[in-house]
Amino acid sequence: MAGFRLQYLGPVILITLCLITLSTFAAVSLLHQQASATHMLRENVQSRQAAADLRGGLNVLVELEHRKVENVADLHVQADTNLRAVEVSADQPEEQALAGKMRAGFDAYLRRWQALPPVGDPRHDQAFVDATRFLEENVLFACRAYEAYNDRRVEESTRGHEQVLRQLAWGMATVGGLGTVAGLVLGFGVARSLSRSIRRLRVQLRDAAGMLGPDPPEIVLTGEAEFHGLHAEADQLTARIEDVVRTLNQRDREVLRAEQLAAVGQLAAGVGHEIRNPLTSIKMLVQAGLEDGSGLALDDLRVIEGEVRRMERSLRTFLDFARPPAPERRPTDLVPLVTGVADLLRGRAEKQRVGVHLDLPPGGVAVTADGEQLRQVLVNLGLNALDAMPGGGELRFGLKQWVTGPVEIEVADTGPGIAPGVMPRLFEPFFSTKDTGLGLGLVISKRIVDDHGGTMSAANRPGGGASFFVKLNAG
Ligand code: ADP
């Protein structure tokens, strides 16, 4: 999914950024060109307006002078004002040249006008006509040229503006087109990839469903890959998983029952085996006594008593295994409990030249447990350790409380350690490497620890010997 996102997110972001940049650039350049075109147009229109005003005034002046009207001082002032407006609005070199020409001509005309011979002078009329022609030729014509120049400029600006608009329209159409094409291509890519993923998912779902059931469903690859089908298949898979889990739970219970039955069978066989030997000894002694007719000697009776005790012990062990009493849990301090077990074993240990050591924390270590059952476990482990050290050694009881909560009891010896073939079978009922062993000690111990919600494990120690660990919850 992350790959899918990266595969499409990159191009989408890139194309979006390109389109935004392109659109922004087009908008800004449009604004800029529009502003400069408008400015130019406004200037040209103003210049042209000023020139038109001047030309109108000059036309009236010339017309009046043609009609020999000489009282035109106001019109001179008016023309001068208009000419000034033209000069102010002339910002192009050509305009400035024409404005300069008009100003020079108008000033020369005014000088001629002021130098007109008085009315009645025979030269007056001719000088008047000359001045009027001078005005026409030097100012009015230049004013028309000025106007024409501005007309051309307005025309050019309008054409430029139109061209900008045309370019912009094309630009916008290109951006829109590119955006649409990119959207289509990406959308198509995403849709294709999604549909492929859905189809693959459906195949995997059917495959998984097939693996869960005895009748593998037919996998049909169709072109359509909608979510609806996917949901239906996921629902089917969930239903199958539920079915399989239910069946597995059922099988688990059946296997457990079969194991229990097998254990009962083993137990019966074990009981038979353990009781047959002492029974045979007793039978032989009793038969011998009956044949002699002399009864049983004290020694024979002692042997018989010993054999009966052995049968009794075996039976108790079997019963413990088959029907362990429920633990009676109460707050128990492990320090005196472990110390008591060590003291109990010390007698036998001394006979074997085994030193017993305690490695206990200061203060108490509290657990909620059946003290009697725990004592049974530790005695069992201690006796096994002593069995492993017939020629002497060290037996150590350790007690640790982890910061995280659990409490660990270790029973360590310096015997030969647990043989590789024995390790996986340690907690198997009736597995024993000892001649007189029942192979139930560790099984019963583990069952007691399990009943207390703890764990039991064994390991060989790096320096030689074996360690058994009993881990219990503190408190
Ligand atoms: P049993 O003592 O009757 O044999 P257990 O269940 O107590 O039955 O022990 C099973 C086997 O585990 C033993 O026969 C022995 O081979 C092995 N075992 C137990 N404790 C030790 C130990 N401390 N060192 C080496 N082997 C051990």
Side-chain angles (χ1 to χ4, degrees):
M1 201 61 190
F4 175 81
R5 237 181 276 143
L6 273 183
Q7 191 184 345
Y8 289 101
L9 210 60
V12 167
I13 290 177
L14 198 74
I15 288 175
T16 311
L17 282 178
C18 284
L19 287 176
I20 289 175
T21 315
L22 222 66
S23 317
T24 312
F25 177 75
V28 168
S29 74
L30 167 73
L31 218 68
H32 184 74
Q33 296 214 24
Q34 178 74 15
S36 78
T38 311
H39 176 74
M40 206 190 304
L41 210 61
R42 196 181 299 123
E43 296 260 300
N44 288 333
V45 167
Q46 266 174 6
S47 291
R48 198 196 173 286
Q49 186 60 48
D53 289 348
L54 176 63
R55 184 175 51 82
L58 289 176
N59 273 340
V60 172
L61 186 62
V62 169
E63 187 58 35
L64 286 175
E65 284 181 6
H66 278 319
R67 290 184 196 167
K68 307 288 183 221
V69 178
E70 294 194 14
N71 187 13
V72 289
D74 285 350
L75 287 178
H76 284 166
V77 174
Q78 177 68 44
D80 184 60
T81 311
N82 289 342
L83 183 53
R84 235 179 268 283
V86 168
E87 282 169 331
V88 168
S89 62
D91 56 349
Q92 297 297 312
E94 204 165 326
E95 282 179 327
Q96 281 162 353
L98 284 168
K101 194 174 165 192
M102 282 188 271
R103 168 57 65 192
F106 188 67
D107 286 351
Y109 159 77
L110 282 182
R111 278 195 300 279
R112 279 178 180 237
W113 182 263
Q114 277 151 10
L116 277 180
V119 183
D121 189 316
R123 288 168 303 153
H124 174 81
D125 284 353
Q126 188 55 47
F128 185 79
V129 170
D130 287 346
T132 303
R133 193 178 302 124
F134 185 87
L135 180 67
E136 245 181 311
E137 284 170 3
N138 290 285
V139 185
L140 192 55
F141 291 169
C143 183
R144 280 190 192 134
Y146 188 95
E147 243 185 308
Y149 171 77
N150 272 296
D151 281 346
R152 272 200 313 280
R153 292 266 299 164
V154 168
E155 183 66 27
E156 275 167 23
S157 314
T158 312
R159 262 206 305 276
H161 196 212
E162 277 169 4
Q163 195 175 348
V164 168
L165 282 178
R166 252 197 314 277
Q167 282 171 352
L168 196 88
W170 276 112
M172 285 310 212
T174 313
V175 169
L178 276 178
T180 312
V181 171
L184 277 175
V185 169
L186 272 172
F188 181 70
V190 170
R192 238 170 80 97
S193 173
L194 256 180
S195 107
R196 220 180 293 145
S197 303
I198 291 173
R199 225 172 291 144
R200 209 176 304 138
L201 206 61
R202 289 181 69 180
V203 170
Q204 283 169 353
L205 281 178
R206 288 179 184 199
D207 213 17
M211 280 192 281
L212 290 174
D215 47 343
E218 197 186 346
I219 297 179
V220 187
L221 283 173
T222 52
E224 103 283 359
E226 8 66 72
F227 279 106
H228 181 70
L230 193 66
H231 286 161
E233 261 140 50
D235 287 347
Q236 269 177 22
L237 180 64
T238 315
R240 267 188 193 248
I241 288 174
E242 280 169 2
D243 257 9
V244 170
V245 169
R246 214 173 298 122
T247 315
L248 280 180
N249 283 340
Q250 173 78 23
R251 298 260 159 87
D252 253 8
R253 279 196 296 276
E254 283 168 11
V255 167
L256 194 69
R257 212 171 303 139
E259 272 176 4
Q260 281 168 346
L261 283 176
V264 169
Q266 270 183 314
L267 183 72
V271 171
H273 180 75
E274 280 303 310
I275 288 181
R276 201 177 55 202
N277 288 346
L279 267 183
T280 310
S281 316
I282 293 170
K283 193 175 95 189
M284 275 162 51
L285 285 172
V286 171
Q287 271 175 353
L290 281 175
E291 277 165 17
D292 290 356
S294 59
L296 288 173
L298 198 62
D299 278 354
D300 291 344
L301 284 174
R302 278 209 190 93
V303 170
I304 289 173
E305 199 219 353
E307 292 300 294
V308 168
R309 273 186 200 284
R310 194 171 142 197
M311 285 193 289
E312 209 178 38
R313 203 176 59 236
S314 298
L315 271 176
R316 203 180 314 121
T317 313
F318 288 135
L319 286 176
D320 274 358
F321 174 71
R323 199 161 30 82
E328 282 179 28
R329 299 210 208 164
R330 51 175 74 93
T332 308
D333 188 349
L334 288 179
V335 172
L337 193 138
V338 174
T339 314
V341 171
D343 292 342
L344 192 74
L345 297 175
R346 213 165 248 125
R348 185 183 149 190
E350 270 165 18
K351 274 189 210 145
Q352 283 180 226
R353 295 193 312 284
V354 170
V356 180
H357 300 283
L358 287 169
D359 190 358
L360 307 173
V365 175
V367 290
T368 304
D370 184 325
E372 257 326 300
Q373 290 192 357
L374 279 192
R375 193 188 318 272
Q376 190 187 337
V377 170
L378 296 183
V379 169
N380 233 324
L381 296 178
L383 286 175
N384 273 349
L386 289 177
D387 285 346
M389 300 182 287
E394 300 288 343
L395 169 62
R396 187 173 59 82
F397 287 92
L399 184 55
K400 253 188 263 177
Q401 174 142 34
W402 301 101
V403 187
T404 46
V407 172
E408 188 183 79
I409 309 169
E410 181 186 0
V411 182
D413 61 60
T414 54
I418 301 156
V422 174
M423 189 65 100
R425 306 186 63 189
L426 268 184
F427 301 104
E428 208 175 273
F430 305 108
F431 174 77
S432 174
T433 54
K434 299 171 196 167
D435 295 340
T436 55
L438 279 179
L440 287 177
L442 288 180
V443 184
I444 293 171
S445 302
K446 183 166 171 3
R447 185 186 276 183
I448 290 174
V449 174
D450 286 348
D451 285 350
H452 278 77
T455 55
M456 187 164 171
S457 57
N460 281 324
R461 301 169 61 220
S467 269
F468 283 79
F469 300 95
V470 174
K471 213 177 247 186
L472 298 168
N473 292 322

